[in-house]
Amino acid sequence: MTVTEGWSWRIVADAGELSSAPEELPAEEAQEWCNFVLWRPTLLPDGCSLLTSTLRKEAPPGHREGATGRSPWSDANNAVYRSEIGGPGRRLRIKQFLYDWAFPAADHPCLWGSATRPEVLSGGQVLWFGTDYLGNAATSARMSRTTVELSVLEGEFSDAELVALHNGFVPSGDDVVERVLRTPFHELSYWARYPVSMVSVPTGLYSFKRHDRVHTGTWVPRGELDGFLAAHDAPSAPGGFVAESAATFTGSSGEQETEIVYVRADIDGGELRLVLQRTGKGRIPFPPERENHPAVTEEIGLDGQLVHLAYIDPVLGPFDAQWSDATTGVEGKLMSSTHEGLTREVFLSALSTVVA
């Protein structure tokens, strides 16, 4: 088992013991192998059935000779669950996992670079519609921290069908949602628990990437978090979001950032990610540089501080804010996930506490 409190899950002890391919396994049995909430569909589109469901189990870094279904860009063996649903002339794939090697860019990284639009689900989560990197019609949602990515492989599915499919998701365990949300991010995260190479990907609407492939993050043990926050003059609960994990990332040339994860269980694990650096000493470009994902930008004054703000939807975000405080010599970046309860007003309230 991995953690002593909150959620715990099973792990294959050695990469060499992994099966040669992802295993066919129903969600109810696969849940105990996942470091995330595994969502089971109960409302399938008309004429469709569940065709296949496979689990890639977690194991320490390393690849088994001849194994398939593993990421070619990393030695990581993180847990991933894939399902296919289909009927006459149409088929879709659903992929579920904990996106934990970086902050999920725009809260829907699989749709990166395409124009996206949101639809609020019955549980308050946001389903994003767009186009994935293969050019397929696709959606993405974060549900109790789980990244749920859907790609249309054949034929067509209406927006209403995809919304209904997501509204019909149920967790694959009676108390799994509560237990996962009680477990700090760094105790769930594969990349926080193993010294695997980092993945350089976009993290927000303003550019910020860690280009070093080497493992650079040092996560703070649970009992040392309060002292870490105090030492970095960071708030413990901005806007009702509670700090639960923090790390220091150091690049090969000495660049360094502090990163803090804030969550709110009352809005389905809604997340804020704060990144701080000494002026010019980290990898956050300042003035901000826009990423190539469609978004709106503006400049606002907040408690006397100029803040650069980017977002996709004016109410739901996701929001990406950057500022540079000449008085303290600190540059900051605050990013949000999306949820019906994580509005612009809620985000700016938290941001005000952080900036102050």
Side-chain angles (χ1 to χ4, degrees), residues 63-79:
H63 281 177
R64 172 181 169 175
E65 189 75 25
T68 61
R70 296 279 155 181
S71 299
W73 43 262
S74 173
D75 286 336
N77 293 305
N78 54 308

Side-chain angles (χ1 to χ4, degrees), residues 277-302:
Q277 66 183 26
R278 302 303 300 180
T279 301
K281 302 297 184 182
R283 286 163 285 195
I284 306 173
F286 205 90
E289 300 173 1
R290 275 280 289 116
E291 284 281 6
N292 63 336
H293 191 74
V296 177
T297 62
E298 59 181 275
E299 296 180 1
I300 62 173
L302 197 64

Side-chain angles (χ1 to χ4, degrees), residues 147-171:
T147 293
V148 181
E149 297 180 345
L150 182 152
S151 181
V152 177
L153 303 179
E154 182 183 358
E156 295 183 356
F157 293 85
S158 69
D159 288 2
E161 286 180 310
L162 298 183
V163 169
L165 174 64
H166 285 78
N167 280 335
F169 280 142
V170 297

Side-chain angles (χ1 to χ4, degrees), residues 164-219:
L165 174 64
H166 285 78
N167 280 335
F169 280 142
V170 297
S172 298
D174 292 337
D175 61 351
V176 62
V177 171
E178 294 78 7
R179 292 177 64 190
V180 165
L181 295 185
R182 284 203 305 264
T183 308
F185 171 81
H186 71 278
E187 294 181 6
L188 294 169
S189 168
Y190 187 93
W191 267 257
R193 291 181 285 113
Y194 295 102
V196 287
S197 298
M198 303 299 295
V199 183
S200 182
V201 292
T203 57
L205 299 172
Y206 289 123
S207 179
F208 169 51
K209 297 178 182 178
R210 295 185 171 109
H211 297 284
D212 297 322
R213 289 285 297 172
V214 296
H215 187 83
T216 65
T218 301
W219 290 85

